[in-house]
């Protein structure tokens, strides 16, 4: 966790400095890049501070130990289906929906319908067929 804290806090400082320098080079008249870089720095800082506070509260984690094993982690992370094609279908439905937002609103409802179908399929894939409980 300490490496993540360092990466996010370093990124926060870096993006704030780059944002200020960018603002000076554009005389603070370009109102897309300057605020975007400052907000990126602020968001990176929020994640870094959250990880730092969590690290203080929880203490040393297995990922901080170079000699740790996978089994040293607390518990299972969940049940995953390595054979499942539903996540790819969900990504395709999201791509169609976002394409509809970018290119024409008449495409967006098709993406929403495909998204609903794929989310239902992903949710209930373990309740039917050969893999039913």
């Amino acid at each position: 966790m300490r490496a993540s804290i360092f990466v996010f806090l370093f990124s926060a400082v870096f993006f704030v400095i780059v944002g200020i320098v960018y603002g000076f080079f554009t005389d603070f008249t370009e109102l897309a890049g300057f605020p975007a870089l400052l907000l990126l720095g602020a968001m990176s800082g929020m994640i870094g501070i959250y990880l730092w506070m969590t690290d203080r509260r929880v203490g040393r984690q297995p990922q901080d130990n170079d000699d740790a094993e996978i089994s040293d982690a607390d518990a299972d992370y969940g049940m995953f289906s390595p054979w499942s094609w539903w996540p790819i279908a969900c990504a395709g439905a999201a791509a169609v929906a976002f394409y509809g937002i970018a290119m024409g609103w008449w495409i967006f409802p098709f993406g929403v319908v495909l998204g609903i179908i794929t989310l239902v399929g992903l949710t209930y894939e373990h309740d039917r067929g050969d893999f039913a409980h």
Side-chain angles (χ1 to χ4, degrees), residues 112-132:
V112 170
V113 170
L114 286 173
I116 291 170
I117 292 169
T118 56
L119 283 175
V120 169
L122 180 67
T123 303
Y124 290 110
E125 73 179 330
H126 293 288
D127 294 335
R128 57 192 154 96
D130 294 336
F131 306 110

Side-chain angles (χ1 to χ4, degrees), residues 78-111:
M79 186 182 77
F80 303 101
S81 303
W83 63 83
S84 179
W85 287 86
W86 286 110
I88 297 171
C90 287
V96 170
F98 287 119
Y99 180 78
I101 292 172
M103 300 304 287
W105 282 100
W106 65 273
I107 303 171
F108 181 73
F110 294 109

Side-chain angles (χ1 to χ4, degrees), residues 9-28:
L9 291 179
F10 178 78
S11 297
V13 172
F14 174 78
F15 285 121
V16 167
I17 290 171
V18 168
I20 292 171
V21 170
Y22 183 81
F24 279 118
F25 277 118
T26 60
D27 294 327
F28 297 99

